[in-house]
Amino acid sequence: KQEVTQIPAALSVPEGENLVLNCSFTDSAIYNLQWFRQDPGKGLTSLLLIQSSQREQTSGRLNASLDKSSGRSTLYIAASQPGDSATYLCAVQAGTALIFGKGTTLSVSS
Amino acid sequence: EPEVTQTPSHQVTQMGQEVILRCVPISNHLYFYWYRQILGQKVEFLVSFYNNEISEKSEIFDDQFSVERPDGSNFTLKIRSTKLEDSAMYFCASSEMDRVGTEAFFGQGTRLTVV
């Protein structure tokens, strides 16, 4: 059964820092991996999708990598801003379902 | 920008009542999904739907739940005989295609409170 784990559970950084969020999954037979952002009490906003054949994807200050063989993905956020404060969720697609981690809650202070 | 729309944003119902959660997926998408998130827990998959039938469902999606695409735009989740433990945020999602290359887009959610 696929399990997705995200470390750390929470992270506090000062504005301007670069940071890395980690995601690991137990079964490497995935179709793709997606990173989401969730603000408190809100929906999920898709940030990046990495297909299983890809190694990384970039969008603005975000860069996500995928190492399928080792079951790991990282989300790199450059020059963090207070507006980046949110929970970041990693999800892998197995079948038609997305299997989610519990998320990393990021707080960026000004 | 196209988005997934869910109504209502918040619903309160009494235990034992039936509720219908509504979603309007992105118009050219073919796959539709329901997920739920109990407060403080992971987002959990409930069901996927394609071509007017269920593609996949989780253990959570038992006989209490059903889905329907009643017309060309709406996608609904019905929960019969609600229980306290059904209280959660329910998310609808849609994607253009399944499996490789799929990016799922989520709605803002319906917060269901069972009292």
Side-chain angles (χ1 to χ4, degrees):
Chain A
K1 181 184 172 185
Q2 178 75 265
E3 295 284 345
V4 179
T5 303
Q6 292 187 245
I7 295 173
L11 182 63
S12 292
V13 301
E15 183 177 6
E17 271 206 8
N18 303 324
L19 56 102
V20 174
L21 308 182
N22 297 291
C23 172
S24 61
F25 46 95
T26 55
D27 186 345
S28 62
I30 63 170
Y31 293 109
N32 57 50
L33 184 144
Q34 202 165 347
W35 282 93
F36 294 88
R37 169 183 172 138
Q38 184 176 30
D39 292 287
K42 302 294 185 182
L44 309 180
T45 301
S46 178
L47 297 174
L48 289 164
L49 170 75
I50 311 177
Q51 297 182 21
S52 59
S53 59
Q54 296 176 322
R55 297 285 293 187
E56 65 178 285
Q57 281 286 339
T58 298
S59 175
R61 293 183 294 110
L62 306 179
N63 176 276
S65 69
L66 173 64
D67 184 343
K68 203 173 75 161
S69 61
S70 69
R72 294 176 189 273
S73 176
T74 61
L75 179 67
Y76 175 83
I77 302 176
S80 57
Q81 302 171 357
D84 294 332
S85 298
T87 296
Y88 291 81
L89 303 176
C90 164
V92 297
Q93 184 168 8
T96 60
L98 283 171
I99 310 299
F100 284 82
K102 202 168 180 184
T104 294
T105 299
L106 173 65
S107 176
V108 182
S109 55
S110 56
Chain B
E1 185 173 324
E3 60 180 17
V4 176
T5 305
Q6 290 187 243
T7 55
S9 57
H10 190 187
Q11 178 145 8
V12 181
T13 189
Q14 290 206 329
M15 194 167 51
Q17 295 298 303
E18 175 181 287
V19 296
I20 297 176
L21 309 183
R22 292 183 166 78
C23 169
V24 178
I26 294 173
S27 62
N28 64 335
H29 284 187
L30 302 176
Y31 288 84
F32 315 118
Y33 314 85
W34 284 101
Y35 291 79
R36 79 173 185 189
Q37 185 178 32
I38 295 171
L39 190 63
Q41 298 189 23
K42 292 183 178 184
V43 176
E44 302 173 290
F45 169 76
L46 294 179
V47 66
S48 60
F49 190 86
Y50 169 73
N51 199 25
N52 283 319
E53 60 182 27
I54 290 174
S55 296
E56 186 177 354
K57 60 183 181 179
S58 71
E59 296 171 349
I60 304 167
F61 194 89
D62 59 20
D63 292 343
Q64 186 192 5
F65 296 89
S66 62
V67 290
E68 189 180 32
R69 186 152 166 84
D71 54 43
S73 60
N74 291 284
F75 180 51
T76 62
L77 174 68
K78 182 188 290 185
I79 309 174
R80 287 178 283 274
S81 189
T82 50
K83 301 174 280 195
L84 295 176
E85 54 264 40
D86 294 327
S87 295
M89 184 77 97
Y90 288 81
F91 294 109
C92 174
S94 68
S95 62
E96 193 172 358
M97 56 184 284
D98 185 20
R99 302 187 186 278
V100 178
T102 301
E103 183 172 8
F105 294 88
F106 282 69
Q108 289 298 300
T110 293
R111 180 168 298 285
L112 176 66
T113 303
V114 182
V115 297

